Amino acid sequence: MTGPTRQVFKIAAIPGDGVGQEVVAAGRRVLDTVAAQSGRFAFQWTEFPWGCEHYEWTGRMMAADGLEALQAFDAIYFGAVGWPSVPDHISLWGLRLNITQNFDQWANVRPVKFLPGVLSPLRNADDHELDWVVVRENSEGEYAGLGGRNLSGRGPGNEVALQTALFTDKGCERIIRFAFDLARTRRVKRSPASPSPTPSSTEWCCGTRSLPGSPRTIPTWRTRACWWTR
């Protein structure tokens, strides 16, 4: 009698540069341990040696057919990118942003919480438990890649660098909706002395606005020096 079939996830591992090599290696061990203990799924890893060292050998941050190769995977496990010998605009746009832009990976989700047995400079800041999720737009804004250097022909000291942040209606709506939908799934722990969150700010408001030509509404807010107390 055979056991239940395990679901196998194909993961592309890109350790990249610097600490990324250590983080990805350690993370893979953790994920494989979790999968083994579960018995219901497993990971099939394929590692790609892309990064600044690859650039110094080949003149490219990733293989010419790299994006096509990544399409065959369920997920990408990315470490870090950047090295002193390679200019930032080459390392960033040649690998990380090349991937996020072409696959439209627009939601950057970063859980932040205290873990048992792990020291943190924030642990003794107050007596509240730290459990946040930071949601950041990952494909627009400064990541749109609009700008560059100009007027270099005028000589040293006269060159101008420009960078334009791009925010589309679609891009703003989807990241705002994602963050609000995520917030609805999270349980808020409140202390007996403060039964409900209290907004404290010099300027704060939240509401909705209608989309032109559409019955839908999206959340809107305006804030300066805004925080929440519990």
Side-chain angles (χ1 to χ4, degrees):
M1 183 175 179
T2 60
T5 302
R6 293 191 303 172
Q7 185 174 7
V8 178
F9 296 97
K10 297 174 62 178
I11 310 297
I14 308 176
D17 307 310
V19 71
Q21 301 278 341
E22 303 173 32
V23 170
V24 169
R28 285 180 57 172
R29 291 196 297 270
V30 172
L31 291 171
D32 285 337
T33 299
V34 172
Q37 292 180 350
S38 169
R40 293 176 295 179
F41 61 91
F43 298 107
Q44 179 181 321
W45 300 94
T46 301
E47 185 166 309
F48 294 90
W50 301 334
C52 289
E53 184 176 0
H54 186 271
Y55 173 82
E56 292 182 334
W57 279 98
T58 67
R60 301 183 62 95
M61 288 295 297
M62 62 188 301
D65 61 348
L67 294 175
E68 182 180 355
L70 292 176
Q71 290 180 350
F73 293 88
D74 297 307
I76 301 168
Y77 189 16
F78 190 90
V81 64
W83 201 251
S85 60
V86 179
D88 284 347
H89 70 280
I90 292 178
S91 60
L92 189 61
W93 281 99
L95 185 57
R96 182 192 175 278
L97 292 183
N98 194 22
I99 294 172
T100 58
Q101 291 284 355
N102 281 280
F103 290 120
D104 198 20
Q105 297 174 335
W106 50 270
N108 187 330
V109 184
R110 304 182 181 186
V112 183
K113 65 186 304 181
F114 292 141
L115 298 177
V118 179
L119 297 178
S120 166
L122 299 177
R123 183 174 292 278
N124 297 323
D126 55 39
D127 58 354
H128 294 295
E129 178 182 353
L130 181 65
D131 187 5
W132 299 347
V133 176
V134 180
V135 178
R136 176 181 178 180
E137 210 290 326
N138 200 48
S139 63
E140 295 188 353
E142 291 75 16
Y143 290 146
L146 301 179
R149 295 182 176 182
N150 299 271
L151 307 181
S152 58
R154 294 187 178 182
N158 294 303
E159 190 174 20
V160 177
L162 300 175
Q163 181 169 350
T164 301
L166 171 70
F167 301 94
T168 66
D169 199 348
K170 174 184 177 181
C172 291
E173 178 181 355
R174 65 185 181 181
I175 195 66
I176 292 171
R177 285 192 179 278
F178 178 89
F180 273 69
D181 289 342
L182 177 62
R184 292 191 183 103
T185 68
R186 291 173 52 78
R187 299 178 61 183
V188 178
K189 296 181 180 180
R190 304 187 178 102
S191 63
S194 180
S196 62
T198 303
S200 303
S201 67
T202 56
E203 180 182 355
W204 185 89
C205 65
C206 181
T208 61
R209 73 173 177 87
S210 298
L211 296 175
S214 171
R216 295 180 300 165
T217 60
I218 64 173
T220 61
W221 65 89
R222 178 166 53 95
T223 178
R224 289 178 54 196
C226 177
W227 63 94
W228 289 88
T229 59
R230 293 181 179 176

